[in-house]
Each structure stands twice: as C-alpha cells, then as structure tokens.
Amino acid sequence: MSMQVDGAGPAIDESQVSQMTDGTQGMSLFSARLDDVQSMSSILKTVSFVQEATCEISKAGLKFIVEHHKSLEAKAFFQASLFHSFYYADGDDTTSFSVNLGVLLECLSIFGSSVSATLKMSYAGYGSPLVLLLEDGGIVTDCSIRTSEPGELLGIDIRQTEIPGNIIMKSHWLAEVFAEFDPSSESVEIVISPDKPFFRLSTHGSGGSAQVDCPKDSDLIESFTCGQTMVNSYSLKLLKPSEKALAISSKISIRMNGFGTLGVQFLVEAADGQATFIEFMLLPLEDHQD
C-alpha cells in the first residue's frame, strides 16, 4: 500500500524500504532508526513554542534547540542509545541546521497516536533536506523537510559561574503549582536557601498573591544542595512553556547560578526504560530584553 502526504513528497511502496535503507549510510552524513515515534513527538512538542529550531547532530545523538525573547533557551535531547540504529559520519565534529518544528511534528504525526509506527531519518549534509521514512502496518510514507543554515544561538550557559543551588525533585508537584498560578502575574519569584523557606515560589497579580514552599526534607525532594540564599524573579510568560515538559517528566533538576540564570532539566523515561532530557535555561528579569 502507499499513502500520499500533502507537501511531504510522494509516498513509496513498502517493498522500497529495504532498498532505500541499505544505501542510507553510503549516501548520508547521518541516518538513524527509531521504533518509538510517539516519544520523539511528545518530547519535541515541549519545545515547539517556537517554530524554527536548530538541530545539532553529533555522535552523542540529536539535540533540538529553540530560543525565545533573548532570555529563554530550550533543548530537547535524543541520545544515540535511544535509537535502534544510529550512524553519524563526522566523528567528533557537530553538524547543525535549522528546521521548522511545526512541519517536523506534522510529519511525525502522520499515523496519529499509533504506537507501532517506526521512523527512519537521514540527512546528507549542508543544503540537503531532512528525510523521514515512516512505516506503520505496511503503509510507508516519506517526508522531505527543507533545512537552512542555523542562526547564531544565545548559548545561555549556567556553568559560566558557580552554581550554589541545585534541587532534584518529583515533577508532579511543580506541575500542580504552575497550574494554580494566577495568569495575570507577570513574574514568579524563586527562592532557594540553605535555611527556611528552602524552596519557595511566589507570584503577584491582579487576582492576588500566591506563595508555595517546599521544605528540603519533603518526600518530593530527592536531593537538595544550597550554599547561599538566592532570590531571583523570572518572566512567568517564559516559564509557562515548560508545563508541557513537566507533564511528561518524572523528575526535574532545578539549578540557579550566581548570576541568577535558572536551569531546569526534565527527566523523561522512554517506553523501553531509557531516559532522555529536556532542558530550559532562563535569564532573570533584570537581564530580560524585549
């Protein structure tokens, strides 16, 4: 059987799959096969609040990076070990290109919520499209997505100075807290302290003020490290997109450095038990630029 996908290129017959796959490594700079398309789609949706993403390929895996308002940088990681097969020809070097996340997600969703769909992807090098080959129940569809030269990234790096505060905790509590925040609030103040309140989030909006504390000995917290009291405010509008990552993660790591840069890493467990990560880096409001 064959299937036509509008704007994605002609469909191909299942008998063509092995022929195309056998020659993939010889033609491509990168090729990989993934048996869990839904997991990739779910993770990419957490950073799809910006349409254009920079895709970085290395021997370690794939990384999709988006930036917003010169203050937020979000990354979705797919380690090479998550793929059934992973081939990258450029050794220790990194290859990067810009790709439209909306188009990529549309292609990954061709078979809806099917858990049996598989994906083969390849990239031949500079100026070439990102090619996806999706198969489900004998139906095979290929998508060719235009790529372009990536723009310069902000490169927000929380490691540029000391990191006095680091909390590892269960995700569901913070997801519930975020859901209760007053949407009229422009900012959220985060306190990480070696003494009470230990970990506090507070907002102030037209609907009133809200304050939530979590003690370091709470069952929610797996690890708590803090060498000094840190108090910083962040744009709630820029933090809101992280709710999708909270919803699919089991644990989060919250770090704050001496400059107030906030780093939140989300641990997402794949169906086969392997783990991958989503990361949000956010500058404090005093460094925010419109």
Side-chain angles (χ1 to χ4, degrees), residues 183-195:
S184 69
S185 301
E186 294 186 358
S187 65
V188 55
E189 183 183 85
I190 300 178
V191 178
I192 300 178
S193 172
D195 305 304

Side-chain angles (χ1 to χ4, degrees), residues 76-230:
F77 299 89
F78 299 93
Q79 298 96 308
S81 61
L82 292 172
F83 295 85
H84 180 78
S85 63
F86 189 93
Y87 169 80
Y88 180 61
D90 224 3
D92 294 330
D93 292 333
T94 298
T95 297
S96 61
F97 55 83
S98 180
V99 65
N100 187 295
L101 269 184
V103 174
L104 176 55
L105 283 167
E106 184 178 351
C107 291
L108 292 175
S109 302
I110 282 174
F111 293 113
S113 58
S114 172
V115 296
S116 60
T118 61
L119 167 69
K120 295 182 179 71
M121 56 196 311
S122 62
Y123 176 70
Y126 182 80
S128 300
L130 178 65
V131 178
L132 309 182
L133 189 68
L134 295 111
E135 187 272 334
D136 187 27
I139 300 175
V140 183
T141 303
D142 72 315
C143 307
S144 182
I145 306 175
R146 181 184 61 84
T147 65
S148 58
E149 189 167 349
E152 186 176 352
L153 294 171
L154 288 172
I156 300 176
D157 187 0
I158 197 170
R159 298 166 300 178
Q160 62 184 309
T161 186
E162 75 279 5
I163 305 175
N166 186 6
I167 302 171
I168 299 175
M169 67 185 303
K170 296 175 183 177
S171 299
H172 68 84
W173 178 80
L174 196 57
E176 294 169 1
V177 171
F178 268 44
E180 295 299 321
F181 278 158
D182 181 355
S184 69
S185 301
E186 294 186 358
S187 65
V188 55
E189 183 183 85
I190 300 178
V191 178
I192 300 178
S193 172
D195 305 304
K196 288 184 178 181
F198 300 112
F199 181 45
R200 169 176 290 173
L201 298 97
S202 55
T203 60
H204 305 278
S206 58
S209 300
Q211 180 176 291
V212 183
D213 295 348
C214 185
K216 68 177 183 179
D217 58 356
S218 167
D219 291 340
L220 298 167
I221 292 183
E222 183 176 298
S223 172
F224 185 95
T225 304
C226 184
Q228 65 186 64
T229 299
M230 293 172 291

